[in-house]
Amino acid sequence: MHELAITQGILSVVLEAAEAAGARRVLTVDLIVGALTGYVDESIRFYFDLLSRGTLAEGAALRIRRELGEGRCQACGARFPVEPPLTPVCPLCGSPQIQVEGGTRCLVERIEVEDGNEHPGGEGDPSGQ
């Protein structure tokens, strides 16, 4: 259920950027979601579709890229990708002295919009023909 609040924040960022750019509508939103956030992609998609109705982002494609965390063994120095469920020991030496970094971000990486400017030749024809 915490995806509702995070998706409200995502949509706010998207709409603010789109309006500032003078966009007619939002076409695509690219997100980075850390594997350790606990967020479920399908829940984010569901809430985005629901919350974006009647806004510039209605119907926008939502692309989610997962970002793994990184484990670092304090005993042997090994580095390895981590995702849930977390392993309690280093996969190389078996030490429980593991420090986990990253994998907790959730951010809008890119927004593609259809601008509100009129172009000679109509939509989709930059040559003017």
Side-chain angles (χ1 to χ4, degrees):
M1 185 77 157
H2 55 285
E3 284 90 348
L4 174 58
I6 196 67
T7 307
Q8 287 172 320
I10 290 166
L11 184 60
S12 292
V13 167
V14 168
L15 293 176
E16 184 177 314
E19 289 168 5
R24 197 174 347 188
R25 68 185 183 113
V26 176
L27 302 173
T28 307
V29 177
D30 292 331
L31 299 177
I32 295 175
V33 178
L36 303 179
T37 61
Y39 300 148
V40 177
D41 293 2
E42 289 312 310
S43 293
I44 294 172
R45 289 184 207 290
F46 171 80
Y47 286 124
F48 188 85
D49 289 344
L50 181 70
L51 296 170
S52 66
R53 289 182 188 155
T55 72
L56 294 175
E58 183 173 4
L62 187 63
R63 297 186 295 212
I64 300 173
R65 180 171 59 92
R66 282 291 172 163
E67 178 179 73
L68 297 178
E70 182 179 69
R72 185 173 56 86
C73 179
Q74 295 177 341
C76 74
R79 293 185 176 273
F80 47 92
V82 294
E83 61 183 317
L86 296 178
T87 180
V89 297
C90 173
L92 282 105
C93 74
S95 170
Q97 297 177 331
I98 297 173
Q99 181 176 353
V100 177
E101 300 167 348
T104 58
R105 299 189 310 166
C106 181
L107 60 94
V108 176
E109 180 179 41
R110 182 175 177 272
I111 303 167
E112 181 183 353
V113 299
E114 179 180 297
D115 68 29
N117 299 323
E118 291 298 317
H119 298 283
E123 280 187 1
D125 186 4
S127 69
Q129 297 179 1

